[in-house]
């Protein structure tokens, strides 16, 4: 039976209108100016649900959900921060601020992991816009209308899409070329619709991408995944939005047509799973026959303790979500603020996994989504007096690299694969020569 739930209004807050938030009234003018300064560079958007139901305003600034969506002073290098503050204080013209902000943005490594350069596929020697194909079985699609989110995460790795740097944007306006590409690639079994957040689209828009895949010519597509943060940022999407029934009907249809529908729910903290409305949204999605899999990056100041992960995985399993990935924070945006040394990431993962039952141990991590593939830290051990990281690929540009353990010198400071060096006096990691070849010949010259 449907509960009677009054839909709240989805109201967005950003640097121009945060003054109107009652919760912000206790901030000093200077603190608000600081938020606005950071928001000139990194995208800032939060909303009425996050503000009213997720953030604990008695625990500011430490509340993890506050840190998840509200800009913090230390997210920018201090010279950059001071420069923007000075410009705002002088009421500098908008163009001047934008130019300075763009310069700072370019230094924040907007496209890590070779996303733009190496993963864009070709169809009849022309680029297929809004599509990435890195691993053989799975194709990613970025629908144009889904390139925004119900709120923005301060650690977002897709942030250039939100700040109006148009030439950095990759999205598809029409799904036709994407379908042609899939028809020519029978090896693809999975389609992952991503963004931004595709659940910001109307059900009818989403259907334009999903429904064609249910036709007989796409029999090779077995799984449709939709990546979304909406369960955390706007669970009303599945309960009271005007097209909720149409959306859930679309999910049911995918399942009825014999495909697996996986909603890849992004959760950063168990607090996002605590509200009755989020739990109701999960129930409704599950009742369509879709499954929810949960993933999140490990980020300092937000979820960098074993307790948070243990509790989050337990709650996910109890509510019917399958824990899937724990990511290492990517090398972009406010990375200095959020990053965690790899050894610490592994300690947190290992500390949390030992406290949960096997049903939560479906989760893989900590994983770096890097240029050669998804590299997981399997452990830290001493072999013949040498302390090493044990690594392996969960996904790789060359499928045969998967599941072959390899070793890197232990480095207490390293926060990413690129900082690691091979152990045992090896010159290169086993995949490196082949990777160079793939990047220069197969992909690079064809563009
Ligand atoms: C993670 C990822 C996938 C999906 O990999 P799975 O192991 O199937 O979850 C596909 N493409 C890209 C570019 C990815 O980063
Ligand atoms: S939900 Fe994902 S794409 Fe959207 S702001 Fe957060 S990290 Fe970025």
């Amino acid at each position: 039976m449907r509960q009677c739930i009054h839909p709240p209004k989805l109201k967005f807050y950003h640097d121009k209108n945060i003054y109107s938030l009652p919760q912000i009234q206790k901030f000093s003018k200077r603190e608000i100016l600081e938020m606005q300064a950071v928001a000139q560079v990194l995208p800032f958007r939060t909303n009425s649900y996050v503000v009213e139901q997720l953030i604990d305003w008695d625990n500011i600034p430490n509340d993890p959900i506050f840190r998840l969506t509200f800009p913090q002073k230390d997210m920018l290098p201090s010279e950059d921060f001071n420069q923007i503050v000075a410009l705002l204080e002088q009421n500098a013209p908008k163009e001047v601020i934008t130019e300075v902000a763009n310069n700072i943005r370019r230094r924040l490594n907007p496209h890590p992991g070779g996303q733009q350069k190496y993963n864009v596929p070709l169809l009849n020697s022309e680029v297929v816009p809004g599509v990435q194909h890195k691993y053989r079985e799975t194709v990613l699609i970025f629908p144009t209308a889904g390139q925004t989110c119900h709120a923005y995460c301060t650690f977002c790795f897709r942030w250039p899409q939100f700040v109006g740097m148009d030439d950095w944007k990759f999205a598809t306006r029409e799904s036709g070329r994407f379908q042609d590409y899939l028809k020519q690639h029978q090896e693809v079994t999975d389609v992952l619709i991503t963004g931004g957040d595709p659940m910001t689209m109307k059900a009818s828009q989403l259907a334009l991408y999903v429904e064609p895949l249910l036709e007989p010519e796409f029999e090779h597509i077995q799984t449709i995944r939709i990546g979304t943060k909406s369960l955390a940022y706007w669970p009303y999407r599945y309960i009271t939005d005007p097209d909720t029934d149409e959306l859930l009907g679309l999910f049911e249809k995918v399942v009825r047509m014999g495909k697996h529908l996986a909603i890849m729910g992004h959760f950063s903290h168990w607090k996002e799973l605590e509200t009755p409305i989020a739990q109701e949204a999960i129930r409704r999605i599950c009742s369509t026959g879709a499954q929810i899999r949960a993933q999140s990056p490990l980020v300092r100041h937000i979820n960098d303790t074993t307790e948070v992960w243990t509790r989050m995985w337990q709650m996910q399993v109890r509510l019917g979500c399958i824990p899937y990935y724990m990511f290492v924070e990517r090398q972009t945006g406010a990375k200095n603020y959020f990053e965690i040394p790899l050894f610490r990431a592994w300690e947190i993962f290992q500390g949390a996994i030992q406290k949960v039952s096997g049903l939560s141990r479906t989760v893989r991590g900590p994983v770096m989504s890097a240029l050669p593939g998804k590299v997981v830290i399997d452990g830290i051990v001493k072999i013949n007096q040498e302390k090493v990281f044990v690594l392996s690929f969960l996904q790789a540009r060359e499928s045969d690299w998967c599941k072959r353990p390899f070793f890197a010198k232990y480095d207490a400071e390293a926060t990413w694969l690129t900082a690691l060096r091979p152990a045992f006096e090896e010159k290169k990691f086993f995949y490196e020569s082949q990777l160079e070849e793939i990047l220069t010949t197969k992909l690079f010259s064809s563009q």
Side-chain angles (χ1 to χ4, degrees), residues 2 5 235-241 244 248 277-278 280-281 284:
R2 290 220 159 176
I5 296 164
Y236 295 95
R237 183 73 194 91
Y238 308 93
I239 298 164
T240 53
D241 272 5
T244 288
L248 297 178
I277 206 74
E280 176 64 11
R284 291 211 179 166

Side-chain angles (χ1 to χ4, degrees), residues 134-355:
K134 183 171 177 182
Y135 309 129
R136 194 174 58 203
E137 291 77 21
T138 307
V139 163
L140 270 55
I141 172 146
F142 297 74
T144 308
Q147 298 313 306
T148 183
C149 298
H150 293 103
Y152 294 150
C153 309
T154 39
F155 60 74
C156 181
F157 66 97
R158 298 264 163 83
W159 63 274
Q161 295 176 184
F162 306 138
V163 294
M165 307 191 94
D166 276 341
D167 52 336
W168 288 354
K169 200 156 158 174
F170 48 127
T172 181
R173 212 165 277 288
E174 40 99 39
S175 61
R177 279 180 58 74
F178 164 62
Q179 289 163 25
D180 292 342
Y181 181 79
L182 285 184
K183 278 183 216 161
Q184 288 193 8
H185 288 267
Q186 294 286 318
E187 76 279 15
V188 175
T189 56
D190 287 40
V191 168
L192 170 50
I193 303 174
T194 182
D197 190 335
M199 288 304 182
T200 57
M201 292 194 284
K202 290 202 179 69
S204 55
Q205 284 174 315
L206 184 62
L208 294 177
Y209 294 89
V210 172
E211 280 187 332
L213 302 179
L214 307 178
E215 298 297 323
E217 59 207 328
F218 295 106
E219 213 186 325
H220 58 298
I221 307 301
Q222 303 177 12
T223 300
I224 298 171
R225 304 189 214 181
I226 303 175
T228 183
K229 181 86 185 166
S230 56
L231 281 161
Y233 283 162
W234 188 245
Y236 295 95
R237 183 73 194 91
Y238 308 93
I239 298 164
T240 53
D241 272 5
D243 62 347
T244 288
D245 289 343
E246 196 184 336
L247 181 68
L248 297 178
L250 178 66
F251 290 5
E252 280 169 1
K253 188 170 174 190
V254 175
V255 176
R256 206 168 52 238
M257 298 297 282
K259 306 228 192 246
H260 175 60
L261 178 63
I263 304 300
M264 308 303 291
H266 299 196
F267 297 106
S268 313
H269 199 280
W270 51 262
K271 287 184 76 176
E272 297 164 330
L273 291 151
E274 257 201 334
T275 65
I277 206 74
Q279 299 190 0
E280 176 64 11
I282 291 170
R283 271 194 293 277
R284 291 211 179 166
I285 292 172
C286 292
S287 74
T288 66
Q291 271 177 359
I292 302 171
R293 284 171 213 270
Q295 61 187 52
S296 171
L298 168 61
V299 265
R300 194 146 59 94
H301 303 299
I302 293 178
N303 59 18
D304 56 335
T305 65
T306 56
E307 291 74 23
V308 171
W309 288 86
T310 302
R311 188 160 169 186
M312 181 157 71
W313 291 334
Q314 284 170 339
M315 275 178 89
Q316 286 167 352
V317 169
R318 177 161 60 80
L319 296 168
C321 310
I322 304 166
Y324 191 59
Y325 281 133
M326 177 209 262
F327 288 114
V328 176
E329 168 60 2
R330 295 203 200 213
Q331 301 291 285
T332 181
K335 76 176 181 74
N336 294 333
Y337 182 83
F338 288 121
E339 71 189 356
I340 293 175
L342 295 175
F343 86 87
R344 190 59 204 132
W346 178 77
E347 281 178 359
I348 291 171
F349 183 88
Q350 201 267 342
I353 202 104
Q354 65 184 270
K355 297 202 186 74

Side-chain angles (χ1 to χ4, degrees), residues 35-62:
M35 282 186 201
Q36 287 172 320
V38 178
Q40 303 305 309
V41 178
L42 299 169
F44 168 39
R45 165 191 267 186
T46 188
N47 71 46
S48 39
Y49 169 74
V50 175
V51 165
E52 286 157 24
Q53 298 191 51
L54 290 185
I55 294 174
D56 174 5
W57 290 94
D58 293 328
N59 183 26
I60 301 301
N62 293 329

